RNA sequence: GGGCGCAUAGCUCAGCGGGAGAGCACUCGGCUUACAACCGAGGGGUCGCAGGUUCGAACCCUGCUGCGCCCA
């Protein structure tokens, strides 16, 4: 066989993998060649994922990096499996956040959005987007996201806006959208309504002030954390059964500072145990009070404007709510009405999730989605398995939420967003306008000034991005999407919304088959990353320093369903090391002529090592397949890491060196096995580490691209148990000899003459050469005398190794080693015998378990006997 | 207040009925021609506490303690 190898030309990989120099070009080539562009007319089965649209103002953070890595792993694997993959990218317009950004910019010019007027302001936002928006899209390229850029969407683009208007009209016509005056969460800084989930609650220090209303035996004491709201009180409520207040129910008291008289009402929702059992009722500024007000037909008095500034009420007019609070308390104190003050008083306070301003409950007219029937359908779709949530523990949280969902406040008092398509006529007409309809013209008609919640449009994302409301080819092909991958923290914000709208708009067809919810990124100590804590890790920094593959591998390897992930620099370095290892191993294989040009020879022409590693590859393929299917990214990566490093590199490559060194047909066969293994391994790793594998694979195979290569299938050959047992024997032999050498202080490189016996009995006759090479033992010369020896127990028999150490052996070290082994064997024996002595164990345990324990006892007994003999034979024993 | 989850090696985490695992960190020895971003060897754990079920429990059940998250 000729040694002139066609592959020598391509064996000149650079000695080092330098991701920063090649990743960018590789990515652009993938995009140019259209690998990520989905073909709606192919006959492949579809696999669809829509990106959780990042915020147009945002930049890539670790949470995105994790989410995108997982999606990219899923889609790249499916593409290799022959699916027509669509990973659809895009962004949402982030109403409040974007408006804030542009308003801040205007503020620097000393202007407000009102100075510009609505139209000019919106124009200005578009300009801002064109100039600064969507930074994240460029950053996604650096990560390697295999998205279909030709289908990129934006929630404010024409098609998606049309979708918004279409569904609004449909919901309106079906009576599922209505307008009502209620208490909503109001952000006085953003000056807009917020939905319940846009409010974050925290326990803050405040004060609890007890105030006496009325005089003498007609007085009553109420406690409040928001004293200023007393200006808007229209009643005091007590529990109907509260004996303390029976005489007061139905009477009136004078409300201090205002001179108004307000009734004392009985309401079963008052908790008589809390405080004095009497509560002030401010229907316009508290959701519970609003309900009490409804039940008792009380007036609702709004005492603040949209900025949280007190309106009217004499001396308090014009004060901010937080200035008004002490002012009101002082005035009450002056009148001797403060009965008690408690500071600090810790209580839950709602904050705007966008700007952290304390939310002000406020009575106002807003648009709502009536969610009851939609939520029922959303619940049903998960209950009957049309959509399954992974990990399943989180399904419960989903049910708890949708089964008790409150109507959704969808109007926002902003300018940036989808304007509510409702027109009001001069005579009180209310007309909802569909996308193809002309708005009513003429004198006195006005469009509703508000826009819709951003989540309203992102709730349509899985189908609006595919062309809905038109029945497009994309929609037919790619809906329902295969899986939604996102963090569990936006289950309610977004996932639920998509379920509501998807089922409604698509005639009961669910928006995704699976929902996979991953955890949140934390720092090395498990703490949440935050700018204020200064523990934020920037993925771009890791991209620069370790490469995209290292970042991706770190994130994928750490992703365990339902669990958060702690990250530290060392993890990234470890992943980078893994890529380097893969690089070096591949370089070695290529330098030694690894090839895919020749098929792997028939099994009976292969060595034990070949058969073992091919079987292990097969097992790894199955294992990794199963784990990826179950969204077990972390374990899949671990399995790949272990196979690559601990089995392929540490053992097979070392054994292959021996096989190649022998030359001839064996060497050629080994080159084919190496080529086949590397080919499959690179394919398996490609979804997680696409860049380094692409370079190595194209070098190995001269193929066009790994992106469009086939995912490895199991060979299906019957596992060779004999080969596996023999390689396990070789491994034990090598490890034990290395341990002995290490204990005896022999340098790793130092060659030592040795005689091995008993290999035949242990069924390892053919492996002596490999063992000698791996542990640097030379053949015994004439007149060899072993000055030291060790015995290694193997299933078939005991192998004895006699070494010429040409010097005194370290007896103490040897005794330590043997004593330790003896203790372990004795512990093992004791454990086995205890079990076997128990008749209930031998009766009830499965036969194979009992047999296994019996076998372990025999092994332990033999070990003990052998070790004891060695110990007794040691000098000075 | 209601609900959910987690407590396993120094750190971060897998394992979830039959031999305690990984990565990183640590100790010792090595530039052994793929790899010092590495190689070889090693140390380290009453699997939170207390009960129960079982022939057998890190794993299932109950209670407790301590953390975390979600919702009010």
């Amino acid at each position: 066989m000729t040694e002139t190898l066609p592959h020598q030309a391509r064996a000149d990989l650079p000695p080092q993998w330098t991701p920063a120099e090649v990743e960018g070009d590789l990515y652009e080539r993938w995009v140019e060649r259209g690998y990520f562009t989905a073909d709606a007319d192919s006959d492949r089965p579809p696999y669809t994922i829509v990106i959780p649209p990042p915020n147009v103002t945002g930049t890539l953070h670790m949470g995105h990096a994790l989410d995108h890595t997982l999606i990219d792993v899923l889609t790249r694997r499916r593409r290799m499996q022959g699916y027509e993959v669509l990973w659809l990218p895009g962004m949402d317009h982030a109403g409040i956040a974007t408006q804030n950004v542009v308003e801040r910019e205007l503020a620097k010019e000393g202007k407000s959005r009102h100075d510009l007027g609505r139209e000019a302001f919106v124009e200005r936002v578009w300009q801002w987007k064109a100039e600064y928006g969507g930074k994240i899209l460029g950053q996604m390229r650096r990560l390697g996201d295999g998205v279909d850029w030709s289908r990129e969407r934006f929630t404010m683009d024409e098609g998606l806006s049309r979708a918004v208007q279409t569904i609004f009209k449909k919901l309106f016509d079906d009576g599922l959208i209505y307008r009502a005056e209620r208490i909503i969460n109001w952000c006085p800084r953003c000056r807009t309504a917020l939905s319940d989930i846009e409010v974050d609650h925290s326990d803050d220090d405040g004060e609890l002030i007890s105030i006496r209303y009325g005089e003498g035996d007609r007085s009553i004491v109420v406690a409040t954390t928001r004293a200023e709201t007393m200006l808007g009180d229209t009643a005091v409520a007590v529990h109907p059964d509260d004996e303390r207040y029976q005489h007061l129910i139905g009477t009136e008291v004078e409300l201090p500072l205002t001179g108004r008289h307000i009734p004392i009402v009985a309401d079963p929702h008052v908790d008589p145990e809390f405080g004095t059992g009497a509560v002030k009722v401010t229907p316009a500024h508290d959701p519970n009070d609003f309900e009490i007000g409804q039940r008792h037909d009380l007036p609702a008095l709004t005492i603040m404007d949209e900025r949280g500034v007190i309106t009217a009420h004499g001396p308090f007019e014009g004060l901010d709510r937080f200035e008004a609070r002490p002012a009101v308390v002082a005035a009450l104190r002056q009148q001797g009405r403060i009965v008690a003050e408690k500071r600090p008083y810790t209580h839950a306070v709602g904050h705007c999730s966008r700007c952290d301003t304390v939310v002000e409950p406020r009575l106002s007219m807003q648009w709502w989605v009536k969610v009851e029937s939609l939520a029922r359908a959303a619940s049903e779709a998960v209950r009957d398995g049309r959509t399954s949530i992974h990990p399943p523990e989180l399904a419960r949280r989903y049910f708890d939420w949708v089964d008790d969902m409150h109507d959704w406040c969808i109007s926002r008092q902003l300018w940036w967003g989808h304007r509510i398509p409702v027109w009001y006529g001069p005579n009180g007409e209310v007309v909802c306008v569909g996308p193809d309809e002309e708005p009513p013209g003429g004198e006195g008609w006005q469009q509703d000034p508000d826009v819709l919640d951003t989540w309203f449009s992102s709730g349509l994302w899985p189908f609006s991005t595919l062309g809905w409301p038109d029945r497009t080819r994309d929609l037919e092909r790619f809906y329902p999407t295969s899986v939604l991958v996102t963090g569990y923290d936006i289950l309610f914000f977004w996932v639920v919304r998509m379920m509501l709208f998807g089922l409604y708009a698509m005639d009961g067809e669910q928006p995704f088959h699976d929902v996979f919810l991953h955890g949140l990124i934390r720092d090395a100590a498990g703490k949440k990353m935050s700018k204020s804590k200064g523990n934020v890790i920037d993925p771009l920094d890791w991209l620069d320093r370790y490469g995209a593959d290292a970042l991706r591998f770190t994130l994928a390897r750490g992703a365990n369903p339902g669990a958060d992930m702690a990250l530290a620099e060392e993890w990234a370095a470890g992943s980078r090391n893994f890529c380097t290892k893969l690089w070096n191993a591949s370089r070695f294989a290529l330098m030694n002529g690894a090839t895919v040009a020749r098929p792997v020879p028939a099994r009976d022409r292969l060595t034990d090592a070949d058969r073992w590693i091919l079987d292990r590859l097969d097992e790894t393929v199955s294992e990794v397949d199963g784990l990826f299917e179950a969204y077990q990214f972390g374990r899949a990566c671990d399995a790949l890491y272990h196979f690559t490093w601990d089995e392929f590199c540490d053992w097979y490559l070392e054994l292959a060196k021996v096989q190649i060194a022998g030359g001839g047909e064996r060497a050629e066969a080994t080159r084919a096995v190496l080529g086949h293994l590397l080919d499959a391994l690179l394919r398996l790793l490609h979804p997680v580490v696409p860049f380094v594998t692409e370079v190595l694979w194209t070098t190995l195979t001269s193929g066009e691209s790994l992106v469009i290569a086939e995912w490895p299938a199991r060979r299906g050959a019957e596992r060779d148990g004999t080969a596996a047992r023999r390689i396990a024997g070789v491994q034990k032999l090598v490890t034990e000899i290395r341990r002995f050498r290490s204990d005896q202080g022999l340098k790793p490189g130092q060659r030592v003459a040795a005689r091995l016996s008993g290999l035949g009995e242990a069924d390892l006759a053919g492996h002596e050469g490999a063992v000698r090479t791996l542990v640097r033992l030379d053949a015994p010369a004439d007149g060899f005398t072993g000055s030291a020896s060790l015995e290694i127990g193997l299933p078939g028999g005991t192998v004895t190794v006699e070494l010429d150490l040409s010097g005194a052996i370290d007896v103490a070290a040897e005794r330590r080693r043997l004593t330790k082994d003896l203790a372990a064997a004795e512990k093992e024996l004791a454990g086995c015998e205890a079990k076997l002595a128990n008749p209930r164990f031998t009766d009830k345990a499965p036969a194979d378990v009992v047999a296994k324990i019996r076998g372990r006892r025999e092994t332990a007994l033999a070990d003990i006997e052998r070790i004891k003999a060695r110990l007794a034979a040691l000098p000075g024993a």
Side-chain angles (χ1 to χ4, degrees), chain A residues 92 124 140 184 202 207 231 249 260 302 343 406 461 514 518 556 747 752 765 790 820 825 860:
Chain A
D92 77 38
R124 173 87 183 228
M140 284 164 58
I184 45 84
S202 61
E207 56 185 20
L231 298 170
I249 295 173
R260 282 191 288 117
T302 297
R343 292 191 191 85
H406 303 297
W461 191 252
D514 283 0
H518 58 247
K747 304 294 180 205
V752 175
L790 74 156
K820 193 187 156 201

mmCIF file of all heavy atoms in Angstrom, chain A residues 92 124 140 184 202 207 231 249 260 302 343 406 461 514 518 556 747 752 765 790 820 825 860:
data_model
loop_
_atom_site.group_PDB
_atom_site.id
_atom_site.type_symbol
_atom_site.label_atom_id
_atom_site.label_comp_id
_atom_site.label_asym_id
_atom_site.label_seq_id
_atom_site.Cartn_x
_atom_site.Cartn_y
_atom_site.Cartn_z
ATOM 1 N N ASP A 92 -38.794 43.714 18.847
ATOM 2 C CA ASP A 92 -40.028 44.413 19.147
ATOM 3 C C ASP A 92 -39.728 45.884 19.390
ATOM 4 O O ASP A 92 -38.576 46.270 19.591
ATOM 5 C CB ASP A 92 -40.814 43.748 20.275
ATOM 6 C CG ASP A 92 -40.265 44.008 21.667
ATOM 7 O OD1 ASP A 92 -39.805 45.131 21.924
ATOM 8 O OD2 ASP A 92 -40.318 43.089 22.498
ATOM 9 N N ARG A 124 -39.239 61.042 14.642
ATOM 10 C CA ARG A 124 -37.943 61.113 15.315
ATOM 11 C C ARG A 124 -37.553 59.731 15.877
ATOM 12 O O ARG A 124 -36.385 59.343 15.832
ATOM 13 C CB ARG A 124 -38.044 62.145 16.447
ATOM 14 C CG ARG A 124 -36.838 62.208 17.344
ATOM 15 C CD ARG A 124 -35.788 63.156 16.772
ATOM 16 N NE ARG A 124 -34.618 63.150 17.618
ATOM 17 C CZ ARG A 124 -33.994 64.239 18.044
ATOM 18 N NH1 ARG A 124 -34.428 65.433 17.706
ATOM 19 N NH2 ARG A 124 -32.925 64.123 18.816
ATOM 20 N N MET A 140 -25.663 39.396 17.164
ATOM 21 C CA MET A 140 -26.123 38.008 16.970
ATOM 22 C C MET A 140 -25.261 37.286 15.935
ATOM 23 O O MET A 140 -25.053 36.081 16.019
ATOM 24 C CB MET A 140 -27.580 38.005 16.506
ATOM 25 C CG MET A 140 -28.582 38.293 17.615
ATOM 26 S SD MET A 140 -30.218 38.731 16.966
ATOM 27 C CE MET A 140 -30.603 37.284 15.994
ATOM 28 N N ILE A 184 -56.095 51.433 37.494
ATOM 29 C CA ILE A 184 -54.987 50.788 36.805
ATOM 30 C C ILE A 184 -53.669 51.198 37.474
ATOM 31 O O ILE A 184 -53.633 52.109 38.293
ATOM 32 C CB ILE A 184 -54.960 51.135 35.299
ATOM 33 C CG1 ILE A 184 -55.189 52.626 35.076
ATOM 34 C CG2 ILE A 184 -56.009 50.353 34.537
ATOM 35 C CD1 ILE A 184 -53.982 53.466 35.184
ATOM 36 N N SER A 202 -41.808 45.343 45.731
ATOM 37 C CA SER A 202 -40.699 45.139 46.665
ATOM 38 C C SER A 202 -41.135 45.615 48.040
ATOM 39 O O SER A 202 -42.038 46.449 48.166
ATOM 40 C CB SER A 202 -39.465 45.907 46.199
ATOM 41 O OG SER A 202 -39.748 47.286 46.153
ATOM 42 N N GLU A 207 -44.197 54.337 56.216
ATOM 43 C CA GLU A 207 -44.706 54.722 57.538
ATOM 44 C C GLU A 207 -46.156 54.273 57.616
ATOM 45 O O GLU A 207 -46.841 54.153 56.607
ATOM 46 C CB GLU A 207 -44.626 56.240 57.702
ATOM 47 C CG GLU A 207 -45.372 56.989 56.585
ATOM 48 C CD GLU A 207 -45.195 58.499 56.653
ATOM 49 O OE1 GLU A 207 -44.236 58.945 57.295
ATOM 50 O OE2 GLU A 207 -46.030 59.204 56.068
ATOM 51 N N LEU A 231 -57.148 62.787 51.350
ATOM 52 C CA LEU A 231 -57.840 63.903 50.698
ATOM 53 C C LEU A 231 -58.911 63.401 49.732
ATOM 54 O O LEU A 231 -59.853 64.117 49.412
ATOM 55 C CB LEU A 231 -56.826 64.780 49.945
ATOM 56 C CG LEU A 231 -55.745 65.447 50.813
ATOM 57 C CD1 LEU A 231 -54.680 66.082 49.934
ATOM 58 C CD2 LEU A 231 -56.366 66.474 51.762
ATOM 59 N N ILE A 249 -72.000 52.294 62.022
ATOM 60 C CA ILE A 249 -72.351 51.932 60.654
ATOM 61 C C ILE A 249 -73.573 52.722 60.215
ATOM 62 O O ILE A 249 -74.576 52.779 60.918
ATOM 63 C CB ILE A 249 -72.619 50.411 60.535
ATOM 64 C CG1 ILE A 249 -71.325 49.655 60.813
ATOM 65 C CG2 ILE A 249 -73.182 50.065 59.156
ATOM 66 C CD1 ILE A 249 -71.479 48.146 60.897
ATOM 67 N N ARG A 260 -65.410 67.772 54.401
ATOM 68 C CA ARG A 260 -66.439 66.912 53.827
ATOM 69 C C ARG A 260 -66.902 65.901 54.858
ATOM 70 O O ARG A 260 -66.142 65.520 55.752
ATOM 71 C CB ARG A 260 -65.866 66.156 52.611
ATOM 72 C CG ARG A 260 -65.779 67.013 51.356
ATOM 73 C CD ARG A 260 -65.476 66.176 50.140
ATOM 74 N NE ARG A 260 -64.114 65.682 50.099
ATOM 75 C CZ ARG A 260 -63.781 64.421 50.132
ATOM 76 N NH1 ARG A 260 -64.704 63.470 50.211
ATOM 77 N NH2 ARG A 260 -62.509 64.055 50.069
ATOM 78 N N THR A 302 -60.681 61.803 42.250
ATOM 79 C CA THR A 302 -59.285 61.798 41.835
ATOM 80 C C THR A 302 -58.593 63.044 42.385
ATOM 81 O O THR A 302 -59.053 64.158 42.146
ATOM 82 C CB THR A 302 -59.193 61.771 40.305
ATOM 83 O OG1 THR A 302 -59.768 60.549 39.846
ATOM 84 C CG2 THR A 302 -57.737 61.843 39.847
ATOM 85 N N ARG A 343 -42.678 54.098 62.209
ATOM 86 C CA ARG A 343 -41.627 54.245 61.192
ATOM 87 C C ARG A 343 -40.392 53.489 61.639
ATOM 88 O O ARG A 343 -40.013 53.626 62.801
ATOM 89 C CB ARG A 343 -41.260 55.714 61.003
ATOM 90 C CG ARG A 343 -42.343 56.557 60.379
ATOM 91 C CD ARG A 343 -41.796 57.914 59.984
ATOM 92 N NE ARG A 343 -42.891 58.830 59.608
ATOM 93 C CZ ARG A 343 -43.584 59.545 60.486
ATOM 94 N NH1 ARG A 343 -43.304 59.459 61.764
ATOM 95 N NH2 ARG A 343 -44.553 60.336 60.062
ATOM 96 N N HIS A 406 -56.615 37.896 35.065
ATOM 97 C CA HIS A 406 -57.446 39.094 35.081
ATOM 98 C C HIS A 406 -57.434 39.745 33.704
ATOM 99 O O HIS A 406 -56.511 39.558 32.925
ATOM 100 C CB HIS A 406 -56.918 40.080 36.121
ATOM 101 C CG HIS A 406 -56.845 39.496 37.485
ATOM 102 N ND1 HIS A 406 -57.953 39.075 38.171
ATOM 103 C CD2 HIS A 406 -55.785 39.213 38.280
ATOM 104 C CE1 HIS A 406 -57.593 38.583 39.340
ATOM 105 N NE2 HIS A 406 -56.266 38.638 39.431
ATOM 106 N N TRP A 461 -46.592 37.414 17.507
ATOM 107 C CA TRP A 461 -45.304 37.137 16.853
ATOM 108 C C TRP A 461 -45.216 35.809 16.095
ATOM 109 O O TRP A 461 -44.718 35.780 14.964
ATOM 110 C CB TRP A 461 -44.219 37.255 17.922
ATOM 111 C CG TRP A 461 -42.811 37.269 17.443
ATOM 112 C CD1 TRP A 461 -41.908 36.252 17.599
ATOM 113 C CD2 TRP A 461 -42.108 38.319 16.776
ATOM 114 N NE1 TRP A 461 -40.691 36.621 17.083
ATOM 115 C CE2 TRP A 461 -40.784 37.884 16.555
ATOM 116 C CE3 TRP A 461 -42.465 39.598 16.319
ATOM 117 C CZ2 TRP A 461 -39.825 38.656 15.918
ATOM 118 C CZ3 TRP A 461 -41.511 40.369 15.692
ATOM 119 C CH2 TRP A 461 -40.212 39.898 15.488
ATOM 120 N N ASP A 514 -43.916 22.788 21.510
ATOM 121 C CA ASP A 514 -43.204 22.739 22.786
ATOM 122 C C ASP A 514 -42.869 24.142 23.255
ATOM 123 O O ASP A 514 -42.671 25.042 22.439
ATOM 124 C CB ASP A 514 -41.860 21.991 22.624
ATOM 125 C CG ASP A 514 -42.045 20.480 22.565
ATOM 126 O OD1 ASP A 514 -43.196 20.012 22.654
ATOM 127 O OD2 ASP A 514 -41.024 19.783 22.428
ATOM 128 N N HIS A 518 -35.805 28.061 29.805
ATOM 129 C CA HIS A 518 -34.501 27.905 30.458
ATOM 130 C C HIS A 518 -34.402 28.847 31.644
ATOM 131 O O HIS A 518 -35.277 29.684 31.870
ATOM 132 C CB HIS A 518 -33.369 28.150 29.460
ATOM 133 C CG HIS A 518 -33.419 29.499 28.820
ATOM 134 N ND1 HIS A 518 -33.671 29.656 27.482
ATOM 135 C CD2 HIS A 518 -33.293 30.742 29.329
ATOM 136 C CE1 HIS A 518 -33.656 30.960 27.202
ATOM 137 N NE2 HIS A 518 -33.446 31.632 28.301
ATOM 138 N N ALA A 556 -24.270 26.331 26.772
ATOM 139 C CA ALA A 556 -25.032 25.107 26.512
ATOM 140 C C ALA A 556 -24.717 24.048 27.565
ATOM 141 O O ALA A 556 -25.591 23.331 28.027
ATOM 142 C CB ALA A 556 -24.704 24.570 25.122
ATOM 143 N N LYS A 747 10.001 9.311 36.957
ATOM 144 C CA LYS A 747 9.587 10.402 36.089
ATOM 145 C C LYS A 747 8.729 9.825 34.969
ATOM 146 O O LYS A 747 9.014 8.720 34.463
ATOM 147 C CB LYS A 747 10.802 11.096 35.477
ATOM 148 C CG LYS A 747 11.801 11.606 36.498
ATOM 149 C CD LYS A 747 11.207 12.709 37.337
ATOM 150 C CE LYS A 747 12.213 13.216 38.361
ATOM 151 N NZ LYS A 747 11.576 13.827 39.536
ATOM 152 N N VAL A 752 11.730 2.180 31.532
ATOM 153 C CA VAL A 752 12.089 1.145 32.504
ATOM 154 C C VAL A 752 11.872 -0.204 31.843
ATOM 155 O O VAL A 752 10.905 -0.390 31.111
ATOM 156 C CB VAL A 752 11.198 1.240 33.770
ATOM 157 C CG1 VAL A 752 11.476 0.098 34.710
ATOM 158 C CG2 VAL A 752 11.417 2.579 34.473
ATOM 159 N N ALA A 765 -3.561 -10.860 25.437
ATOM 160 C CA ALA A 765 -2.311 -11.257 24.799
ATOM 161 C C ALA A 765 -1.904 -10.301 23.682
ATOM 162 O O ALA A 765 -0.724 -9.992 23.517
ATOM 163 C CB ALA A 765 -2.457 -12.671 24.230
ATOM 164 N N LEU A 790 4.431 -5.681 40.615
ATOM 165 C CA LEU A 790 3.079 -5.428 41.087
ATOM 166 C C LEU A 790 2.138 -6.389 40.365
ATOM 167 O O LEU A 790 2.454 -6.910 39.288
ATOM 168 C CB LEU A 790 2.671 -3.973 40.860
ATOM 169 C CG LEU A 790 2.330 -3.491 39.463
ATOM 170 C CD1 LEU A 790 1.423 -2.279 39.554
ATOM 171 C CD2 LEU A 790 3.589 -3.152 38.704
ATOM 172 N N LYS A 820 -3.831 0.963 51.252
ATOM 173 C CA LYS A 820 -5.022 1.684 50.810
ATOM 174 C C LYS A 820 -5.911 0.779 49.954
ATOM 175 O O LYS A 820 -7.138 0.732 50.124
ATOM 176 C CB LYS A 820 -4.588 2.907 50.000
ATOM 177 C CG LYS A 820 -5.706 3.870 49.764
ATOM 178 C CD LYS A 820 -5.314 4.975 48.836
ATOM 179 C CE LYS A 820 -6.578 5.531 48.203
ATOM 180 N NZ LYS A 820 -6.333 6.232 46.963
ATOM 181 N N ALA A 825 -10.668 -2.816 49.319
ATOM 182 C CA ALA A 825 -11.177 -4.160 49.009
ATOM 183 C C ALA A 825 -11.935 -4.742 50.183
ATOM 184 O O ALA A 825 -12.965 -5.395 50.022
ATOM 185 C CB ALA A 825 -10.019 -5.070 48.608
ATOM 186 N N ALA A 860 -13.479 -9.078 45.313
ATOM 187 C CA ALA A 860 -12.906 -8.491 46.520
ATOM 188 C C ALA A 860 -12.067 -9.509 47.269
ATOM 189 O O ALA A 860 -10.974 -9.205 47.748
ATOM 190 C CB ALA A 860 -14.022 -7.944 47.406
#
